[in-house]
Amino acid sequence: MTANHLSLQLTELLKQKQYSPMAVNEMVPLIFAGVNGFLDSVPVAKILQWEADFLSHLRTNEADIIATIDKEGAVSKELEAKLRDVISTFTKSFQG
């Protein structure tokens, strides 16, 4: 992946709706996915859809991840391993 493609993906990933700022504990998994190559297979045009679907998945099925980030304010090795697993599994099943 080129640096330009990565920057386009991260730009899309970090766009926020006006007057609806995203919580830091939800931004962390998104940034983690972007900088660790989990979105390499997702076209830039589908990043916002991936983001919305992934956040919905986190809130519904993995609320403990969001709560842990909120509580600890950091990503431990254990949380990193869980994030990698959850993001990888979700991204493989993403239909966009």
Side-chain angles (χ1 to χ4, degrees):
M1 168 178 297
T2 67
N4 187 45
H5 186 72
L6 177 61
S7 67
L8 289 173
Q9 284 183 318
L10 292 176
T11 298
E12 284 299 304
L13 196 60
L14 296 174
K15 284 183 179 176
Q16 297 184 33
K17 294 178 183 172
Q18 189 173 13
Y19 309 116
S20 296
M22 189 179 299
V24 172
N25 61 354
E26 292 182 345
M27 288 176 67
V28 169
L30 299 176
I31 295 168
F32 183 90
V35 300
N36 285 289
F38 289 102
L39 302 180
D40 289 358
S41 63
V42 179
V44 172
K46 301 275 186 174
I47 293 290
L48 290 178
Q49 183 63 52
W50 180 92
E51 176 185 307
D53 292 356
F54 181 64
L55 284 175
S56 177
H57 173 76
L58 279 181
R59 292 174 187 139
T60 304
N61 303 303
E62 306 290 346
D64 59 312
I65 290 176
I66 295 170
T68 301
I69 293 168
D70 195 40
K71 180 182 175 188
E72 296 178 4
V75 177
S76 65
K77 291 292 182 189
E78 181 180 307
L79 183 58
E80 179 180 340
K82 185 164 186 172
L83 274 171
R84 287 182 181 282
D85 181 52
V86 168
I87 295 167
S88 177
T89 300
F90 177 83
T91 303
K92 286 177 188 171
S93 67
F94 175 69
Q95 299 299 310

